[in-house]
Amino acid sequence: MDENRLEQEIQDKNLNAPRLTPTLIDEAIASEAYYVFPGTTLTVCMLVLQNGFSVTGESAPASLANFDKEIGQKIARENARDKIWALEGYLLKESLYLATK
């Protein structure tokens, strides 16, 4: 499901408890870098978060004939960005837990 449509549905249903949003995930990213291993189609994206932690994502088409640098970077970035959801989700849950102690 498209995350922007899902975000709109959440807002439409007035679900206002503490939660992550696509904007918060994007704001956690401080910088990004890409690398394609020489002689391969393997593209790696490294996202550095505001706190200095790094996450990586990868992409690689099965066929060299389908390799496109821009598409590879988009897929690798999305794969790296998906990892941020889990990390930020844990961080939010931990802070909510600690607030109840």
Side-chain angles (χ1 to χ4, degrees):
M1 176 178 255
D2 177 280
E3 72 180 22
N4 291 320
R5 268 192 279 166
L6 182 57
E7 176 61 24
Q8 187 58 55
E9 183 178 348
I10 290 167
Q11 290 180 17
D12 291 346
K13 291 183 177 186
N14 207 26
L15 301 172
N16 296 321
R19 64 184 180 82
L20 300 176
T21 65
T23 300
L24 288 172
I25 298 302
D26 290 334
E27 289 173 351
I29 300 169
S31 66
E32 59 190 70
Y34 299 91
Y35 184 74
V36 178
F37 286 86
T40 76
T41 60
L42 176 61
T43 302
V44 176
C45 172
M46 179 181 68
L47 299 178
V48 179
L49 306 184
Q50 296 294 340
N51 67 4
F53 191 78
S54 298
V55 294
T56 60
E58 304 80 27
S59 70
S63 171
L64 178 60
N66 287 332
F67 179 71
D68 180 273
K69 182 180 176 182
E70 289 180 21
I71 292 173
Q73 288 180 346
K74 287 177 186 178
I75 294 169
R77 186 183 193 282
E78 191 61 31
N79 289 335
R81 188 176 172 275
D82 285 346
K83 294 176 183 179
I84 300 171
W85 283 95
L87 295 168
E88 291 292 326
Y90 173 83
L91 186 61
L92 175 58
K93 182 66 175 178
E94 182 71 3
S95 70
L96 293 171
Y97 168 73
L98 292 174
T100 65
K101 291 189 102 191

